[in-house]
Amino acid sequence: MISKARITAIGSYVPDLIVTNSDLEKMVDTNDEWILRRTGIKERRFAAETEYTSDVSIKAIENLVERYQKDISDVDMIIVCTLSPDYQTPSVASYIQGRLGLKQAGAIDINAACAGFTYGLHLANGLITAELHKKILVVGAETLSKITDFTDRTTCILFGDGAGAVLVEYDDKGSFLSSHVVSEGEKARSLYGTYLSDKMFGTELQNKQQLVQNGREVYKWAVTTVPNGMKTVVEKANFSLQDVDWFIPHSANLRMIESICEKSHFCIEKTLTSLVHFGNTSAASIPLALDNGIKDGRVKEGDHLLLYGFGGGLSQSGQLVRWG
């Protein structure tokens, strides 16, 4: 089916509080050199105590409206991609719908973890191309600092907070060229978080209050599967990776991204990330990286972008998009 959806605007927001690697040295046994060498992260942003995922989402949407002078009063669906919602219910999307007064808009949250934003784009493209909706806000937003275990030196150095939002609208000349979505649920225990019990499905959990990640397993999974997924996305559009202007992966870990680029024979200089100053922001990392590229002039109208998310599930999703 030929896409009839196009991304027409983007906005982003990160909280004011900057947490450096040196700041983390005061919390756990780590140091700036070790964090930088292993992850490429220099600093990250943390939400204020009373600032939640709905708050950072709304600020990203407001940034979109201000920069592009967009009227969002006729938005008819809100999709929020997050693993750190304000409440179990209501959804963050419903909270946004209410606070922005978008009375005609449907509202759903989806949780595909770090692949969330690209899954959200996949849904928005499908809903608009099927002519079920005309104008959709897709938001990738997280306040991971609220669910991070700050006694675990292997995970607390990674995560940050922030949000990115895009407006997807009906257009006969759609900009979504191809997609690829998949999950490997048998490996789901490599990255989890639950508030329900100390034991799930007969297995003792390491921590029921914060995120738990087997970094080694997730790293191995990503670097061995994402390159094939990237190839699948572009081949569906009769492209090659050489036709891609910018690769925008989930900003998990710079060493991981370098390995993915090496294995896929993709030039690291044509890769956009948001992790150096924002850390791993899960579903927010791709729109934050894309918006940085737009603001500094690297991403131009007509560029072909390969957006690729991967993480909890273990899920991954790629979208080949023509920008502008």
Side-chain angles (χ1 to χ4, degrees):
M1 184 179 292
I2 298 174
S3 171
K4 295 181 181 179
R6 185 167 67 88
I7 299 173
T8 61
I10 186 170
S12 60
Y13 170 78
V14 291
D16 293 332
L17 178 60
I18 298 173
V19 179
T20 65
N21 293 342
S22 296
D23 292 328
L24 291 177
E25 291 177 6
K26 303 168 187 175
M27 301 181 190
V28 291
D29 180 18
T30 191
N31 60 71
D32 176 68
E33 188 276 333
W34 186 83
I35 296 172
L36 197 57
R37 174 167 45 84
R38 291 175 66 92
T39 71
I41 298 169
K42 293 182 178 179
E43 59 189 31
R44 67 288 292 148
R45 302 294 184 97
F46 282 3
E49 185 177 351
T50 57
E51 189 175 36
Y52 298 94
T53 299
S54 62
D55 297 308
V56 298
S57 298
I58 287 172
K59 288 177 180 177
I61 294 168
E62 290 173 342
N63 179 252
L64 177 156
V65 170
E66 179 182 357
R67 287 164 54 194
Y68 288 82
Q69 295 297 298
K70 282 288 185 177
D71 177 12
I72 62 169
S73 63
D74 56 345
V75 162
D76 53 12
M77 178 62 77
I78 303 167
I79 300 173
V80 174
C81 318
T82 187
L83 61 83
S84 53
D86 302 14
Y87 303 98
Q88 186 174 2
T89 189
S91 68
V92 175
S94 289
Y95 214 61
I96 291 170
Q97 178 271 322
R99 287 173 64 179
L100 295 180
L102 304 178
K103 297 186 181 300
Q104 74 291 335
I108 58 170
D109 286 2
I110 63 169
N111 180 359
C114 306
F117 184 71
T118 42
Y119 264 82
L121 290 178
H122 182 69
L123 290 176
N125 176 43
L127 290 170
I128 290 176
T129 298
E131 301 189 20
L132 298 174
H133 291 271
K134 292 285 189 179
K135 202 169 186 178
I136 300 178
L137 280 169
V138 179
V139 183
E142 304 286 6
T143 49
L144 296 176
S145 63
K146 299 183 186 300
I147 56 172
T148 294
D149 181 359
F150 286 99
T151 66
D152 179 3
R153 70 193 292 262
T154 64
T155 60
C156 75
I157 63 172
L158 298 172
F159 299 123
D161 303 336
V166 295
L167 188 62
V168 185
E169 300 188 65
Y170 182 90
D171 191 318
D172 284 330
K173 297 180 180 179
S175 61
F176 291 83
L177 304 179
S178 62
S179 65
H180 172 63
V181 293
V182 68
S183 182
E184 296 180 56
E186 66 276 10
K187 299 175 181 176
R189 282 293 308 280
S190 294
L191 176 54
Y192 67 83
T194 182
Y195 299 95
L196 297 178
S197 173
D198 294 319
K199 180 185 291 187
M200 292 294 289
F201 308 115
T203 303
E204 296 287 340
L205 299 185
Q206 181 178 330
N207 186 328
K208 76 169 187 177
Q209 296 298 324
Q210 287 99 18
L211 288 175
V212 176
Q213 176 176 258
N214 183 331
R216 187 183 301 274
E217 287 302 312
V218 174
Y219 188 103
K220 183 170 65 175
W221 167 79
V223 300
T224 56
T225 63
V226 170
N228 289 332
M230 294 165 60
K231 183 179 178 182
T232 298
V233 178
V234 296
E235 287 183 346
K236 283 184 177 181
N238 295 317
F239 276 53
S240 71
L241 285 174
Q242 285 67 44
D243 297 316
V244 172
D245 294 294
W246 294 105
F247 173 43
I248 311 178
H250 161 51
S251 287
N253 177 312
L254 188 58
R255 306 307 161 227
M256 182 187 292
I257 293 169
E258 288 170 345
S259 182
I260 288 169
C261 287
E262 181 181 355
K263 290 179 181 296
S264 60
H265 305 292
F266 191 87
C267 180
I268 190 69
E269 286 74 24
K270 294 171 63 179
T271 301
L272 301 179
T273 69
S274 56
L275 61 82
V276 175
H277 297 292
F278 300 150
N280 178 339
T281 54
S282 189
S285 74
I286 290 176
L288 286 175
L290 171 58
D291 204 19
N292 284 344
I294 292 166
K295 288 176 179 176
D296 66 21
R298 284 178 291 175
V299 175
K300 297 177 174 60
E301 186 171 348
D303 280 356
H304 293 103
L305 315 177
L306 176 55
L307 315 179
Y308 209 100
F310 50 90
L314 294 173
S315 298
Q316 54 184 291
S317 169
Q319 301 286 328
L320 182 64
V321 177
R322 184 177 56 253
W323 185 253

